[in-house]
Amino acid sequence: MEYQLDFAFLSGSAPDLLEGLWVTVRLAIAANAMGLTLGFALCLMAMSHWALVRWPAQMFIEFFRCTPALLQIIWFFYCLPFLFEVYIDPIPMGILALGLNLTAFNAEAYRAGVQAVPRDHLDASIALGLRPWQRTIYVVLPQALRSAMPVLMTNGISILQQSALVAIVAVGDLMYVGKDIATQNYRPLETYTLVALIYFLLSLPIARLAHVIERRQDAVVER
Amino acid sequence: MNNAVLNSRVASDPVSYDDSDSPQLIKLRGVVKSYNDGALTVMDHLDLDMHAHERLVIIGPSGSGKSSLLRVMMGLEGIQEGTIDFLGTQYITGTRNKPQKLDPRLQRQIGMVFQHYTLFPHLSVLGNLMLAPTKVHGWTKAQATERATQLLARLGLESKLHAYPSQLSGGQKQRVAIARALMLEPKLMLFDEVTSALDPEMVVEVQNVMLKLAEQKMAMIIVTHDMHFARHIATRVVFCANGKIVEQGPPEQIFTNPKEARTREFLEKVVIFD
């Protein structure tokens, strides 16, 4: 192979890369904040006794689970402004698209966690006089959160990866900046390798942490 | 002993034990409860009276709905027909099988302990004891902590105040569950096979706590398969089968000289007579 690897030129692009990285981190954190909170609310709706509440929630979940994330993002960027005449800045729009996608996946993770709460615990909380919303907040949510945590973290990492898709609609994230640098310098190999490495290093600690939490949970399985 | 006591189906004027000085706690009249659209009747026009100092032990074959009365009293399940009074007030009426919203002022006077461990695993022992008093009944943390500490000390668990349920043995978990149910100073305690899931060596520590409560004149309804313990703790034993009270009376009478053939038959299977 005659190709000479040259990573040196990338040092000049460091400020751009950092800026892109910062956008990516913001996208990931904000989408996760949305996914963790709205995901639980959506999970409760999807498990509601009332069909009128349950159905829309289930439709929402299935829509996001059964269409490509790339398509969802493109749809949000092109069709939402067209249909509703709302114009949102690219980054908030990216957060919205990614966050709603994560909300749907997290709702499913929470549901498994809620279903894992023993029936006897609900009986006990009724016996203690807790009202329905108090049961949800003080008994169900903490236990569901705990058992869903590894999946929630895995979903959180995967939305970090998926956030690269917003580059396609010109949000200046890490992927977008990388693509820019690669084409300007005719050095896609070095650039994309470095960008991949950054995504990898960002995700790896979280993935390891999720693994540790899962192992610890297995160790203290009780009941 | 009045013979009418022994047959609760003499319902027009059920006779209680002559302890009229202690107030009536529970009055069941014509209570009907069944599962699967009437396929399984666990309470068949049941009448039952209980006074404040009594300790009822309910015995009977599995599937005879022994736990149902406890679950109904606690608001976990509903009844189809009949009425239940608690502390002289109408508490539950039979309408549908779904649990109805019970008067919280009455419901809080009842504490219940379950067969399976029901301590919330994400809360410490203290957290478990404080949850209902602080979140539902507006106690301050200091009040709840003080009461919890006293209770745990009485049950020999003061060192476990900050432990988590996963760090406790089965017997300790059930004792904490009893303490949790006692936090609001209930007038009636319900025990639903609380030692059934325990290893034998832990059964006694839980039973001792219950005996201690008995000494303090706590009214209790106990469902158990442990006939030895039943005999020891009960002031009255109620033998149920097929949703009906077959026979009831003081433990000595039920265990040594049961009147009904059905009772004898059951006891011969589960107790070794001496």
Side-chain angles (χ1 to χ4, degrees):
Chain A
M1 198 167 87
E2 291 302 303
Y3 190 84
Q4 290 289 311
L5 282 175
D6 172 20
F7 282 95
F9 81 94
L10 283 166
S11 60
S13 308
D16 291 341
L17 282 170
L18 277 177
E19 204 169 308
L21 175 63
W22 176 227
V23 171
T24 291
V25 168
R26 271 156 65 202
L27 285 171
I29 289 176
N32 269 292
M34 249 177 101
L36 287 173
T37 48
L38 296 183
F40 186 68
L42 185 64
C43 149
L44 293 181
M45 287 170 68
M47 294 179 79
S48 167
H49 292 296
W50 297 302
L52 229 59
V53 178
R54 191 173 62 238
W55 271 51
Q58 282 170 345
M59 294 272 290
F60 181 97
I61 293 172
E62 295 310 338
F63 170 77
F64 279 96
R65 289 209 307 175
C66 302
T67 54
L70 178 60
L71 189 65
Q72 292 162 17
I73 287 164
I74 292 176
W75 193 90
F76 265 85
F77 272 82
Y78 294 116
C79 304
L80 205 62
F82 180 72
L83 283 176
F84 303 106
E85 293 196 19
V86 286
Y87 299 95
I88 305 175
D89 286 338
I91 291 178
M93 186 64 109
I95 290 169
L96 189 67
L98 293 168
L100 290 180
N101 175 286
L102 186 58
T103 296
F105 280 90
N106 280 358
E108 285 297 290
Y110 276 123
R111 187 163 70 166
V114 168
Q115 282 166 346
V117 176
R119 174 72 233 179
D120 299 311
H121 284 201
L122 293 181
D123 283 348
S125 58
I126 295 171
L128 287 170
L130 299 185
R131 288 180 266 277
W133 66 269
Q134 291 173 319
R135 277 174 243 155
T136 305
I137 300 294
Y138 299 121
V139 178
V140 177
L141 175 62
Q143 295 195 56
L145 189 65
R146 194 188 255 198
S147 62
M149 192 46 85
V151 182
L152 293 173
M153 289 179 79
T154 309
N155 288 353
I157 301 167
S158 87
I159 213 68
L160 172 69
Q161 323 299 353
Q162 309 263 36
S163 76
L165 293 171
V166 299
I168 214 110
V169 287
V171 175
D173 74 331
L174 182 60
M175 184 68 196
Y176 184 83
V177 172
K179 199 173 64 177
D180 233 23
I181 296 169
T183 37
Q184 274 169 23
N185 297 287
Y186 304 106
R187 288 274 178 194
L189 180 57
E190 290 86 345
T191 317
Y192 285 132
T193 305
L194 179 68
V195 168
L197 195 65
I198 298 175
Y199 275 111
F200 179 77
L201 291 176
L202 215 53
S203 308
L204 186 67
I206 311 172
R208 298 309 304 166
L209 186 63
H211 187 66
V212 168
I213 291 176
E214 197 168 8
R215 280 235 314 262
R216 210 170 48 190
Q217 275 183 357
D218 289 345
V220 289
V221 167
E222 54 142 0
R223 215 179 100 73
Chain B
M1 185 66 60
N2 189 326
N3 231 356
V5 170
L6 302 176
N7 187 352
S8 74
R9 294 308 311 278
V10 188
S12 53
D13 184 20
V15 182
S16 298
Y17 297 93
D18 48 347
D19 41 42
S20 40
D21 49 323
S22 83
Q24 179 141 19
L25 203 57
I26 297 177
K27 188 169 100 179
L28 272 76
R29 287 296 176 271
V31 173
V32 173
K33 177 171 181 58
S34 62
Y35 295 104
N36 305 334
D37 293 318
L40 176 68
T41 303
V42 293
M43 293 190 195
D44 186 2
H45 297 90
L46 211 65
D47 298 320
L48 184 72
D49 292 86
M50 180 183 176
H51 285 79
H53 76 286
E54 288 193 276
R55 295 183 297 278
L56 259 57
V57 172
I58 305 178
I59 59 170
S62 321
S64 62
K66 300 185 294 293
S67 301
S68 292
L69 172 63
L70 307 192
R71 296 181 59 79
V72 165
M73 286 301 297
M74 205 66 254
L76 303 174
E77 290 178 28
I79 55 176
Q80 276 104 341
E81 284 176 44
T83 57
I84 300 176
D85 291 7
F86 177 52
L87 294 169
T89 315
Q90 187 154 97
Y91 177 54
I92 299 169
T93 49
T95 40
R96 58 221 153 104
N97 216 13
K98 275 192 181 172
Q100 56 192 113
K101 184 86 190 76
L102 300 179
D103 184 342
R105 282 162 306 173
L106 289 174
Q107 199 218 15
R108 65 170 286 183
Q109 313 269 359
I110 304 177
M112 181 161 178
V113 186
F114 297 82
Q115 175 180 359
H116 298 289
Y117 307 134
T118 57
L119 295 183
F120 306 129
H122 57 287
L123 297 174
S124 68
V125 166
L126 180 62
N128 266 281
L129 265 61
M130 284 184 16
L131 182 65
T134 57
K135 303 297 183 193
V136 184
H137 302 288
W139 293 22
T140 64
K141 278 196 169 169
Q143 284 173 316
T145 308
E146 193 190 327
R147 167 105 180 119
T149 314
Q150 281 172 0
L151 268 176
L152 290 171
R154 261 165 51 193
L155 304 189
L157 289 162
E158 56 271 56
S159 63
K160 302 294 179 188
L161 194 64
H162 298 289
Y164 279 81
S166 59
Q167 301 164 316
L168 303 177
S169 71
Q172 289 170 333
K173 280 183 209 175
Q174 286 302 62
R175 279 148 69 200
V176 172
I178 293 173
R180 183 174 70 178
L182 288 170
M183 277 298 280
L184 296 169
E185 300 178 55
K187 297 260 194 317
L188 171 67
M189 284 287 285
L190 309 174
F191 294 92
D192 190 2
E193 300 189 27
V194 294
T195 55
S196 301
L198 293 178
D199 293 336
E201 73 269 24
M202 293 170 179
V203 168
V204 173
E205 66 178 84
V206 174
Q207 291 180 342
N208 280 341
V209 167
M210 292 166 73
L211 288 168
K212 208 181 238 180
L213 286 176
E215 275 169 27
Q216 293 157 3
K217 302 275 177 245
M218 174 64 78
M220 313 181 189
I221 306 179
I222 300 163
V223 172
T224 182
H225 293 291
D226 186 334
M227 296 303 147
H228 181 74
F229 180 63
R231 188 171 185 169
H232 203 46
I233 196 166
T235 58
R236 175 161 44 131
V237 175
V238 180
F239 173 66
C240 292
N242 301 324
K244 293 189 198 313
I245 295 174
V246 176
E247 183 169 358
Q248 55 178 319
E252 312 82 65
Q253 177 201 317
I254 298 288
F255 286 115
T256 55
N257 189 21
K259 301 258 181 303
E260 301 288 328
R262 186 79 188 77
T263 316
R264 258 197 308 276
E265 193 187 317
F266 171 76
L267 287 173
E268 274 161 12
K269 282 182 199 155
V270 295
V271 212
I272 302 147
F273 287 101
D274 32 41

